[in-house]
Amino acid sequence: MHKKISIDIKLALRQLQNGELVAFPTETVYGLGADARNEMAIRKVFTAKGRPVDHPLIVHLANAQQMAEWAQGIPKAAFILAQHFWPGPLTMILHKQPAVSNLITGGQDTIALRVPNHPITLELLQRFGSGLVGPSANKYGFVSPTTAEHVATDLGDTVAAILDGGACTVGIESTIVNLLSDRVTIMRQGAITAAQLSQALQYDVAINTPDTNVRVSGSHASHYAPHTPAYVLPIEQLLQKALQFSAQHAKFSVISLQAKPAIMDANVLWQQVSANPAIYAHDLYSNLRMHDELHNAAILIEQVPNIDAWAAVADRLQRAGAKD
Ligand code: TXA
Ligand code: MG
């Protein structure tokens, strides 16, 4: 195990107070934590990730009461959503308090807030008493980490510590909602669905492609992508492509909801994955990283069903397969 992986919350706390970076577990993916009131510490986050500084960060809080320290003009909907979904995989975009650093917000006057649902990180946040910025703890554009080992692979040299909370239970990033206008809209899909949000708010919550006023770096097409070329295809096209790779004697991977057909040859690492969207999401980034490490010619991924329950997974697959 990597020497910086530990469960020492006290040590992590001291390191954060000293302006160092500490990766923390959440239910979605691991975050790269730094003191959100310390600009030197926040700068280190951008450097470690290789992330452009105009891409804003989420501030993680211990509870909903702390919202008012970071946001102003908080609408009623925010309290309703906090009541229903925090701690949990929901991030809210609100108007920021003037004192919040522009480094966090990419110079915008808005702030992203979330109370994550992981016992270790909730204890860390409670003891810290303030906010922690926490982008996913991966290199910019790459697949998010869902284990402490993933973080060590990507950022082991730059973090002071990696708090080990086991494998993330959800496995894909939080749902991001925009609360800047009258009606709440979804800016990034996640485990909390439009239907759940609509039920909590008693009106239909729409899924909105980001406009130019509100930037979501995770919405760039080539985000969440492995280094190996990934192709997301319906099963018939996937089989055709697989036969082409086989004919070229290229080694390749397949992630499919089906069992390996008998006609497939030995060059393929065919992984049959769960047809349950929550289990699929839980394993997705580990699976992508595993196939990526084989340095094969390609990862062929079977398209998932085009229904609500699969929407967040479908979104991440599309980004993993984007070629820009
Ligand atoms: O599940 C998650 O949200 C994880 C865990 C660690 O909490 N965090 C995460 O952070 O995914 P990151 O930085 O990888 O993605 C956060 C997204 C980015 O796409 C960013 O652009 C967007 O949130 N964001 C942050 N502040 C924003 C703001 N003020 N307005 C619009 N988008 C914002
Ligand atoms: Mg990210």
Side-chain angles (χ1 to χ4, degrees), residues 9 13 63 82 92 106 108 146-147 158 183 187 192 197 205 304 311 315 322:
I9 296 180
L13 205 54
N63 54 60
M92 296 195 227
Q108 304 175 89
T146 54
T147 66
T158 42
R183 283 198 159 223
M187 306 199 53
I192 295 182
L197 294 163
V205 172
V304 294
D315 170 80

Short mmCIF file of all heavy atoms in Angstrom, two decimals, residues 9 13 63 82 92 106 108 146-147 158 183 187 192 197 205 304 311 315 322:
data_model
loop_
_atom_site.label_atom_id
_atom_site.label_comp_id
_atom_site.label_asym_id
_atom_site.label_seq_id
_atom_site.Cartn_x
_atom_site.Cartn_y
_atom_site.Cartn_z
N ILE A 9 -7.18 10.74 10.84
CA ILE A 9 -7.92 11.99 10.64
C ILE A 9 -7.21 13.16 11.32
O ILE A 9 -7.16 14.27 10.78
CB ILE A 9 -9.37 11.85 11.17
CG1 ILE A 9 -10.12 10.79 10.35
CG2 ILE A 9 -10.12 13.19 11.11
CD1 ILE A 9 -11.56 10.57 10.76
N LEU A 13 -6.02 16.53 9.48
CA LEU A 13 -6.49 17.83 9.95
C LEU A 13 -5.32 18.82 10.08
O LEU A 13 -5.40 19.96 9.61
CB LEU A 13 -7.14 17.61 11.32
CG LEU A 13 -8.18 18.57 11.81
CD1 LEU A 13 -9.30 18.72 10.80
CD2 LEU A 13 -8.76 18.03 13.12
N ASN A 63 -22.21 20.50 7.18
CA ASN A 63 -23.67 20.49 7.33
C ASN A 63 -24.27 21.69 6.60
O ASN A 63 -23.56 22.61 6.19
CB ASN A 63 -24.05 20.53 8.82
CG ASN A 63 -23.40 21.70 9.53
OD1 ASN A 63 -23.62 22.85 9.16
ND2 ASN A 63 -22.56 21.41 10.52
N ALA A 82 -31.41 20.55 0.57
CA ALA A 82 -30.46 20.16 1.62
C ALA A 82 -31.13 19.18 2.59
O ALA A 82 -30.56 18.15 2.96
CB ALA A 82 -29.97 21.39 2.38
N MET A 92 -24.93 22.14 -5.04
CA MET A 92 -25.81 23.28 -5.38
C MET A 92 -24.98 24.50 -5.78
O MET A 92 -24.04 24.87 -5.08
CB MET A 92 -26.65 23.66 -4.16
CG MET A 92 -27.61 22.57 -3.74
SD MET A 92 -28.82 23.28 -2.61
CE MET A 92 -28.80 22.04 -1.33
N GLY A 106 -13.47 30.56 -10.03
CA GLY A 106 -13.05 30.89 -11.39
C GLY A 106 -13.44 32.30 -11.76
O GLY A 106 -13.72 32.59 -12.93
N GLN A 108 -16.10 33.82 -11.01
CA GLN A 108 -17.56 34.02 -11.10
C GLN A 108 -18.11 34.42 -9.73
O GLN A 108 -17.43 34.23 -8.72
CB GLN A 108 -18.24 32.73 -11.56
CG GLN A 108 -17.71 32.21 -12.89
CD GLN A 108 -18.32 30.87 -13.26
OE1 GLN A 108 -19.36 30.81 -13.91
NE2 GLN A 108 -17.67 29.79 -12.86
N THR A 146 -12.02 6.24 -7.44
CA THR A 146 -13.02 5.70 -6.52
C THR A 146 -12.41 4.82 -5.43
O THR A 146 -13.13 4.22 -4.65
CB THR A 146 -14.11 4.91 -7.28
OG1 THR A 146 -13.47 3.90 -8.08
CG2 THR A 146 -14.92 5.81 -8.19
N THR A 147 -11.06 4.78 -5.39
CA THR A 147 -10.37 4.13 -4.26
C THR A 147 -9.16 4.99 -3.89
O THR A 147 -8.70 5.81 -4.70
CB THR A 147 -9.84 2.71 -4.60
OG1 THR A 147 -8.80 2.83 -5.59
CG2 THR A 147 -10.94 1.80 -5.12
N THR A 158 2.02 14.45 -4.89
CA THR A 158 1.71 15.85 -4.57
C THR A 158 0.84 16.03 -3.34
O THR A 158 0.79 17.13 -2.79
CB THR A 158 1.03 16.57 -5.77
OG1 THR A 158 0.07 15.68 -6.33
CG2 THR A 158 2.03 16.96 -6.81
N ARG A 183 -36.30 28.57 -11.22
CA ARG A 183 -36.48 27.12 -11.26
C ARG A 183 -35.14 26.41 -11.23
O ARG A 183 -34.22 26.76 -11.96
CB ARG A 183 -37.23 26.73 -12.53
CG ARG A 183 -38.71 27.02 -12.39
CD ARG A 183 -39.50 26.27 -13.41
NE ARG A 183 -40.87 26.15 -12.97
CZ ARG A 183 -41.59 25.03 -13.08
NH1 ARG A 183 -41.06 23.96 -13.62
NH2 ARG A 183 -42.84 24.99 -12.67
N MET A 187 -27.31 20.62 -13.95
CA MET A 187 -26.17 20.97 -14.80
C MET A 187 -25.23 19.79 -15.05
O MET A 187 -24.46 19.81 -16.00
CB MET A 187 -25.37 22.08 -14.15
CG MET A 187 -26.22 23.27 -13.81
SD MET A 187 -25.20 24.69 -13.56
CE MET A 187 -24.28 24.68 -15.06
N ILE A 192 -28.49 11.37 -7.95
CA ILE A 192 -29.78 11.98 -7.64
C ILE A 192 -30.41 12.45 -8.96
O ILE A 192 -29.84 13.27 -9.68
CB ILE A 192 -29.63 13.13 -6.62
CG1 ILE A 192 -29.14 12.50 -5.31
CG2 ILE A 192 -30.94 13.88 -6.43
CD1 ILE A 192 -28.97 13.42 -4.17
N LEU A 197 -35.47 15.00 -7.68
CA LEU A 197 -35.45 16.45 -7.43
C LEU A 197 -36.84 17.04 -7.64
O LEU A 197 -37.30 17.88 -6.85
CB LEU A 197 -34.43 17.13 -8.35
CG LEU A 197 -32.97 16.76 -8.09
CD1 LEU A 197 -32.09 17.15 -9.27
CD2 LEU A 197 -32.46 17.44 -6.81
N VAL A 205 -38.12 19.31 -12.75
CA VAL A 205 -36.76 19.84 -12.84
C VAL A 205 -36.15 19.43 -14.18
O VAL A 205 -36.10 18.24 -14.50
CB VAL A 205 -35.90 19.33 -11.66
CG1 VAL A 205 -34.44 19.70 -11.84
CG2 VAL A 205 -36.45 19.89 -10.35
N VAL A 304 -25.43 1.85 -23.02
CA VAL A 304 -26.39 1.42 -21.98
C VAL A 304 -27.80 1.87 -22.39
O VAL A 304 -27.94 2.72 -23.26
CB VAL A 304 -25.98 1.98 -20.60
CG1 VAL A 304 -24.67 1.36 -20.14
CG2 VAL A 304 -25.91 3.49 -20.59
N ALA A 311 -29.21 7.46 -17.07
CA ALA A 311 -28.82 8.74 -17.67
C ALA A 311 -27.43 9.22 -17.23
O ALA A 311 -26.61 9.64 -18.06
CB ALA A 311 -29.86 9.81 -17.36
N ASP A 315 -24.12 9.53 -19.66
CA ASP A 315 -23.40 10.81 -19.76
C ASP A 315 -21.90 10.60 -19.58
O ASP A 315 -21.09 11.10 -20.37
CB ASP A 315 -23.96 11.76 -18.70
CG ASP A 315 -23.12 13.02 -18.57
OD1 ASP A 315 -23.29 13.92 -19.40
OD2 ASP A 315 -22.28 13.09 -17.64
N ALA A 322 -15.42 10.47 -25.87
CA ALA A 322 -15.27 11.67 -26.71
C ALA A 322 -13.84 11.78 -27.24
O ALA A 322 -12.89 11.42 -26.57
CB ALA A 322 -15.64 12.90 -25.92
#
